[in-house]
Every structure is written in C-alpha cells, then in structure tokens.
Amino acid sequence: MKKNFWSDSLGKKVFTMLLITSFIIVFGIIGMHFIVNLSWIDSLYYTIITLSTVGYGAPESLSGAEKIFIVTLILLGMGIVGYVLGNMAQLLVSEKIVALLGKGGDRRVARLSDHWIICGLGRYGSEVAHFLSADNITFVALEIEEEKVSAGREQGWLVLHGDARNEECLNKAGIAVSKGMIVALGDDADSVYTVLTARSLASNIRIVVRANDAGSVNVLYRSGADKVINPVLAGAASMVRASLQPSVEDFLELVNISRKLDLDFGTVHITSGSFMTGMTLSEAPLRSIYEANVIAVIREGGKIIYNPSGNLQLETNDHLIVFGQRKQIAKLRHDITLPEQSHSQEELFVSHPIQEQK
C-alpha cells in the first residue's frame, strides 16, 4: 500500500515549515501595511528584504511603534529562518543516516537467533520494547517511519527501517530463526496482512498481536495469530479490578508494570531427562531452593491443573506456571534442563544456597 506523502513524517515536516514561513511573511506584510502605512507592494518588498536580511534600508521617518514592529519582525524572522534551515538540513541528511545505520543493523541481525521481532514502534510497540529491554530479551524492531526508527535507535534498540507486511523486511529481521513476533501496528488490516505473511515464512514461531478493534480479534486468530490482545478490554478489566479489588490490582501493577518488586510470573518447561521428571511437587526443590510458587501445571495435551497439590507428579513436557523472583526463575529454567543422574538435590543446595531472610 503506497503511503500519501503528506501522511508520513517527512511530509508533515515540510508542511509545517511551509506553514510557519507563510505565517511570518503574511504577518510582516500586514504589519508593514497597517502599522508602517506602506502600500501592499511596498509591504511585500520590505517584508522580504527584512526577513532575508538583505538590508537595502528601512522606510524613512519611522515612528517608535513602527521601529518596534520592524525589530520584532527581524527577531522573529531570524528565529524562523534558523529553524527552517536547520530542519531542511536534517531532512537532506536523515535519509542517508538512516540508510547507513540500517546497514549496520543488518549485520547485527544476521547474527541473531531465537530473538523476538516487534512490528511497529508506536505507543504500544515502544512500551513492549521497553519491557523486553528491561528483561534483557533480544529483539529487533521493524518500523516504517524514519522518525520512529531514529527514536528507537537513540534508545539503543536494534531497529530496521522497513514495512512489516513485506516478506523481504521480515526476512531481514531474521523471522526464520526467531522465537516469535509481536505485532503492534495501528491498523488491524495491516496486522492481518503481517500475520499472514509471517506465517507463510515461519509456521512455528509464536505470534502475539494487538487488536485495535474488538471485531478484528477473530479475524486475527484465523489469520494465524497465537494470541490477540485487545488493549481496550485489558484496560477495562484492569479498571474493574482497581474498583472492586484494589489490593489485587495494586499488586499486579507493582509486578507487571512498575517493576518495583523483583517478582514476576514465569513458565518453566519440564524437558525430557530433567532431574525433576517423576518427582512430586512436594519432592521437587521448587520452593526450598528457587523460592518459586507453582500456580498451575499445563499438561502436554493442554489440560490445566490450577493450584496443584503437593502429591502431583511432574511429567515430561509439563509447563509450570510459577511466581517468584526473576533471578531465581531464571536459575530454575537453567537447572531444570539438567539430567537426573548428574545433579542431585544436595548439589543444587550447594550451587544455589538459600539466602537468609532479613
């Protein structure tokens, strides 16, 4: 889809500069005519030479008020001319700079694997990038607007300039070796097209999509999205919790949004050969070593066991939904893949001693 020139950031900048320049010229002409009492032709002439700082001389016999107006016009003109020239220079070199930075980004992306792709760095996409960056999750962002590309790179993010709906751009972002994709575009039709394109290139990755309209949720699921988030519904649910269960909402906000607590929810996969396979929850050192509380267990077939009892036996390919400290969950994810024969529970106590609570 070809974008209208005046709808992109470059067109808006050019339009703003033309508008400001036209305003100061009209302001000068009107002031010269009604304050300095010049004809319209002379008003145009003296306004242009004043703003251009040519300096052919001012009209004769100026009063105090007339001189103040001309001084004001000169000062405004100097500021506006400087602003316009600075922005013109930026526009002339920005495309070249973005292209050069993009080449460096291409080389870094080529070395990535098992990363996430963020499509769109608008309000939601930028927040997603902030969260992933705070958790040290590797990601690359695709953004079509140069201004947002530059803003993302100033944050230290790896951002490619391109259209997420385009196969070539998705391939440049490494979609074939990525872990998943987060689509945060402002238009649901663009999101559907992006998901369809991504699914044709990488059928096994996880795709999470933002839905701007509730009516688009089913369409996005049918196009291949694994999870569709409607910010309106999520925000409404949050408002209801804040009204009826304020303590619960305050706690969730501390954990998930403000990150003031070093706590988080996480998923832990019981892999084949893990030392925890066959243990019951009470036997597994989930709380004694990792201080992790198991909220639910998702079986291989999709069955969910909420608030599991201590005698529940862990099986291969179980997914544990846990709550605890982020560092401890990260250690748990690492240790749970270790084979049963090479690491005993006593060795784990030595490698991860329990810190005394103050």
Side-chain angles (χ1 to χ4, degrees):
M1 182 175 63
K2 188 175 180 180
K3 296 187 68 175
N4 186 288
F5 174 78
W6 298 108
S7 66
D8 60 21
S9 59
L10 175 60
K12 290 178 181 178
K13 285 185 177 180
V14 173
F15 179 76
T16 301
M17 287 187 289
L18 290 175
L19 189 64
I20 293 174
T21 304
S22 301
F23 170 78
I24 191 63
I25 291 175
V26 171
F27 172 77
I29 292 173
I30 294 175
M32 288 288 187
H33 181 74
F34 290 102
I35 298 176
V36 188
N37 298 315
L38 298 178
S39 67
W40 288 111
I41 297 297
D42 287 342
S43 296
L44 173 63
Y45 172 74
Y46 279 107
T47 296
I48 296 300
I49 66 172
T50 299
L51 293 177
S52 62
T53 67
V54 172
Y56 283 152
E60 298 179 357
S61 304
L62 293 176
S63 66
E66 293 169 346
K67 291 179 179 178
I68 291 175
F69 168 75
I70 292 179
V71 168
T72 303
L73 181 62
I74 292 173
L75 292 176
L76 286 174
M78 290 173 59
I80 290 175
V81 168
Y83 171 80
V84 171
L85 291 177
N87 276 272
M88 287 180 63
Q90 181 183 5
L91 291 175
L92 290 173
V93 301
S94 61
E95 185 175 350
K96 185 67 175 178
I97 292 175
V98 168
L100 292 173
L101 290 174
K103 292 179 181 178
D106 290 343
R107 290 192 292 270
R108 285 186 289 166
V109 172
R111 297 192 293 267
L112 293 181
S113 64
D114 206 29
H115 61 287
W116 285 87
I117 300 173
I118 302 176
C119 299
L121 284 178
R123 291 179 301 163
Y124 290 96
S126 295
E127 290 299 322
V128 169
H130 279 296
F131 276 112
L132 293 183
S133 181
D135 288 340
N136 295 317
I137 304 297
T138 304
F139 70 90
V140 57
L142 273 173
E143 174 54 53
I144 196 170
E145 294 187 19
E146 293 181 1
E147 187 174 333
K148 294 177 181 177
V149 171
S150 300
R153 287 172 177 167
E154 288 176 1
Q155 295 284 343
W157 304 333
L158 179 53
V159 185
L160 297 181
H161 181 226
D163 190 341
R165 299 166 300 178
N166 186 281
E167 286 189 16
E168 183 180 355
C169 292
L170 290 175
N171 283 324
K172 285 183 178 180
I175 190 171
V177 294
S178 67
K179 178 179 289 185
M181 186 171 74
I182 300 172
V183 182
L185 301 176
D187 185 272
D188 287 340
D190 290 342
S191 297
V192 170
Y193 196 92
T194 299
V195 173
L196 289 170
T197 306
R199 274 286 174 243
S200 68
L201 298 175
S203 59
N204 296 325
I205 66 170
R206 179 168 177 80
I207 300 179
V208 180
V209 190
R210 164 200 171 190
N212 300 280
D213 187 87
S216 303
V217 173
N218 291 332
V219 177
L220 287 165
Y221 273 122
R222 288 197 295 270
S223 67
D226 294 296
K227 183 66 178 178
V228 179
I229 305 295
N230 187 332
V232 175
L233 295 179
S238 179
M239 292 181 69
V240 171
R241 280 196 305 269
S243 303
L244 305 180
Q245 304 177 65
S247 298
V248 174
E249 179 61 23
D250 290 344
F251 176 75
L252 292 175
E253 183 175 339
L254 284 172
V255 173
N256 293 325
I257 300 178
S258 67
R259 303 295 182 95
K260 291 181 180 179
L261 298 178
D262 187 28
L263 298 171
D264 204 355
F265 296 93
T267 305
V268 179
H269 180 210
I270 306 292
T271 57
S272 177
S274 168
F275 76 94
M276 289 192 190
T277 302
M279 289 185 177
T280 64
L281 283 177
S282 58
E283 293 171 342
L286 294 167
R287 293 203 58 175
S288 59
I289 295 179
Y290 304 100
E291 301 176 358
N293 296 298
V294 180
I295 298 173
V297 177
I298 304 177
R299 294 296 192 188
E300 185 174 7
K303 179 183 178 182
I304 303 177
I305 304 172
Y306 297 101
N307 193 24
S309 62
N311 59 7
L312 179 70
Q313 190 174 48
L314 298 176
E315 301 175 358
T316 299
N317 290 327
D318 278 351
H319 286 81
L320 311 182
I321 308 300
V322 298
F323 178 74
Q325 297 181 18
R326 293 188 182 91
K327 292 182 180 179
Q328 293 292 72
I329 293 176
K331 290 178 182 178
L332 175 57
R333 286 199 183 102
H334 172 266
D335 292 348
I336 207 167
T337 61
L338 300 177
E340 182 178 0
Q341 296 180 349
S342 63
H343 281 76
S344 65
Q345 185 165 331
E346 288 77 10
E347 289 174 312
L348 289 171
F349 269 108
V350 173
S351 61
H352 302 299
I354 301 176
Q355 297 179 352
E356 295 183 1
Q357 295 184 354
K358 297 181 180 180

